[in-house]
Each structure stands twice: as C-alpha cells, then as structure tokens.
Amino acid sequence: MAATKAGKILITEAKRGLGLEMIKQLSENSCPNQHIFAACRDPDVPNSESKELARKHPSVITIIRLDADDPSSVKDFAKKVGSLLGNNGLNQLVNNADRKRKLIEIESIVKSFKATNCNLPEYLPYLQMAAKASGTPGMSSNKAAVMKIFSVVGSISTMPSIYEQFPTLPYGASKAGCNMLTVLAAEEFKADEILCMTLHPGWVKTELGGVKSNTALESMEGMLRVIDSLTEKQHAVLQTTCKLIL
Ligand SMILES: NC(=O)c1ccc[n+]([C@@H]2O[C@H](COP(=O)([O-])OP(=O)(O)OC[C@H]3O[C@@H](n4cnc5c(N)ncnc54)[C@H](OP(=O)(O)O)[C@@H]3O)[C@@H](O)[C@H]2O)c1
C-alpha cells in the first residue's frame, strides 16, 4: 500500500469512490502525527465505510460534514477544519470533486464549476501557514500542496472525438476550468511555495467511472506514489497516475 508523509491532509468528497479509497490507504499506512480530514456530504448514513474507517482509526481520521454545493456548509466546514488544524496549518488539499451532470442547464454548469473551484480561498491561509511552518525551502507535496483531480473529459483537444462516449458538457467544461485554475493558481501561489497541480487517476471502477477500468485500489496506489514524489518540477503540471483506458 502506498503512503504519503504529509502531516495534515484534507480530502473532499470522501464518502465513496476514489476519496474513500484514499482515506482507506492513508489510514492503513499512516505516518506519525499524520491526520486526515475527510469531507462527506452525509457522514451518518448507515453502513458508511468512511465512518467505519474513522471509528477504526480515530487518531488518524476526522470526518466532517460538507455539502460542497451549499455555500454555508462550505463556510462551516472550513471553519471547523481551521479550528482543528493547529499552528502548523494544512499540508495537502486534495480536491476530489466530481459532478457528472448530463443536463445542459445553467444550474448544472454553475454547480460543476463550483465543485471544481474547490473553495481554495477558504483553505489558503492554512496552506500558507503550513508552508511557513515547514522551515524548508522549495515546494513539496508534504509541505503545502493543492491537488485537483482532472479527467480526460476536460481535455479540449481530446474531448470532441470522445464526446459521444462521454456526453457530459457541464462536467467536461468544469474539468477544463479546473486545469486552467490550477495553472493560474500555480502562478498566484508560487511566492508562497504552495505546490499546485492536477492528477488524472486513469479510468477507475467507481460509480462515476463504470466497469471497463482500473480498480480504485490500483488507481489510488498510483496516485499516492505520485503525490509523495512531487516537487516544484511538477508545479502546474498535469500528471496521469494510472492507465487511461478509453
Ligand atoms: N472514476 C473515474 O474513472 C475518474 C476518471 C477521471 C477523473 N475522475 C475524478 O476523480 C474524482 C473522484 O471520482 P469518483 O470516481 O471517486 O466519483 P464517485 O465514485 O462518483 O464519488 C463521488 C463522491 O463525491 C461525493 N459528492 C457528490 N456530490 C457531493 C456534494 N454536493 N457534497 C459533498 N460530496 C459530494 C459523493 O458522495 P455522496 O455519496 O454523498 O454522493 C462521493 O463521495 C472526481 O474528481 C472525478 O472527476 C474519476
């Protein structure tokens, strides 16, 4: 199982799919003083695997309620995380947002964009705090990093030819926006030494991905391996971390 040495990690949308797999692998192989804040829309549903993991590893995982589509929930969530973080701030923000909306309605497009926007401004002070507290020069994923999860459906050059296979305008447009956001955030936060980049997890067997694909376990192993090795060389760069089967 892969791991990362970062201290404080925040993972959005961790109730199932890749987010759940991430907290599973991290908690089973956690480093001393590591703590994971896992955001779930409805953490108290019966048989919640993320809740079960938090019960099994109470010193490693804290589950906090977050409905990413609700601005007041986003604010409450950020406040709660801030109150639990302490003086060394947040080392990794993994924005695992997905919104596979098919409808070409303004509401769908706006929600998709909001999800990929990841509410970075809410967490910026904590990332800056972590970068300062680290006392080491340069960038790394263990010091202060924002990782967004990309999908090939956000690729402007690839998408027209695979649109029949993936007819998801809001999702595709928001993922393309996510890429631009990362590239520009990378410029904006260079001086703060906050690493910003996007990861493509491959095509993964989750509710979103379907069946003809990698397992969440193999995808996440690849993703964590890449995350742990990131330096400023990958700042603003998109990394594919598992096979892309189309
Ligand atoms: N799977 C793939 O093949 C693939 C390929 C490329 C990129 N990705 C990217 O990987 C990331 C994770 O995808 P996935 O495959 O793990 O998706 P998934 O299995 O569909 O899981 C989606 C997660 O998002 C949560 N969620 C949805 N709406 C929410 C909201 N309003 N507030 C809070 N949580 C909400 C879901 O929780 P609920 O149970 O509460 O709905 C669930 O935990 C996404 O960024 C996706 O674009 C996936």
Side-chain angles (χ1 to χ4, degrees):
M1 287 241 168
T4 170
K5 290 182 275 306
K8 301 286 192 303
I9 305 172
L10 168 55
I11 304 167
T12 64
E13 316 210 346
K15 208 188 98 214
R16 56 187 163 84
L18 281 167
L20 173 64
E21 184 61 34
M22 187 171 227
I23 63 170
K24 198 182 283 176
Q25 293 197 21
L26 288 178
S27 60
E28 281 166 13
N29 212 2
S30 70
C31 304
N33 300 325
Q34 189 164 67
H35 201 86
I36 304 158
F37 300 96
C40 294
R41 174 163 44 182
D42 189 4
D44 295 320
V45 291
N47 307 320
S48 159
E49 277 188 72
S50 47
K51 196 80 189 261
E52 196 42 52
L53 274 174
R55 236 176 256 132
K56 204 166 143 196
H57 305 280
S59 61
V60 183
I61 305 179
T62 301
I63 305 252
I64 305 173
R65 195 189 159 275
L66 167 69
D67 181 346
D69 290 339
D70 172 0
S72 67
S73 171
V74 170
K75 281 213 165 65
D76 291 348
F77 176 81
K79 229 193 227 165
K80 174 94 189 166
V81 171
S83 72
L84 296 171
L85 271 174
N87 292 337
N88 289 336
L90 177 66
N91 302 102
Q92 274 183 19
L93 168 59
V94 183
N95 181 221
N96 178 47
D98 109 80
R99 290 298 179 275
K100 196 179 176 185
R101 297 187 170 89
K102 284 194 180 153
L103 293 175
I104 307 174
E105 286 173 346
I106 188 69
E107 190 59 15
S108 303
I109 297 174
V110 169
K111 280 190 174 170
S112 294
F113 269 99
K114 274 191 182 158
T116 55
N117 186 24
C118 94
N119 312 304
L120 180 56
E122 315 275 343
Y123 308 113
L124 188 57
Y126 308 128
L127 290 159
Q128 286 167 325
M129 208 186 273
K132 280 207 183 102
S134 89
T136 49
M139 292 182 193
S140 87
S141 54
N142 298 331
K143 176 175 165 177
V146 180
M147 280 154 285
K148 291 175 157 292
I149 313 298
F150 185 67
S151 163
V152 70
V153 302
S155 161
I156 289 170
S157 55
T158 310
M159 193 46 174
S161 62
I162 57 169
Y163 191 71
E164 266 185 38
Q165 205 179 342
F166 303 103
T168 53
L169 188 151
Y171 180 58
S174 70
K175 287 292 182 190
C178 158
N179 222 6
M180 178 59 90
L181 200 81
T182 304
V183 169
L184 299 185
E187 286 301 310
E188 191 85 22
F189 307 128
K190 208 192 294 183
D192 290 314
E193 298 188 329
I194 298 172
L195 182 84
C196 300
M197 50 96 56
T198 34
L199 294 162
H200 193 312
W203 194 3
V204 195
K205 252 180 226 151
T206 61
E207 214 171 297
L208 176 80
V211 287
K212 198 183 91 187
S213 28
N214 308 288
T215 63
L217 186 133
E218 55 196 358
S219 169
M220 191 48 63
E221 282 185 341
M223 192 140 62
L224 288 175
R225 224 172 286 124
V226 169
I227 287 178
D228 207 41
S229 66
L230 297 172
T231 66
E232 51 258 61
K233 286 195 189 125
Q234 286 81 36
H235 189 54
V237 177
L238 166 65
Q239 301 276 301
T240 298
T241 59
C242 201
K243 275 179 298 188
L244 191 57
I245 311 160
L246 289 176

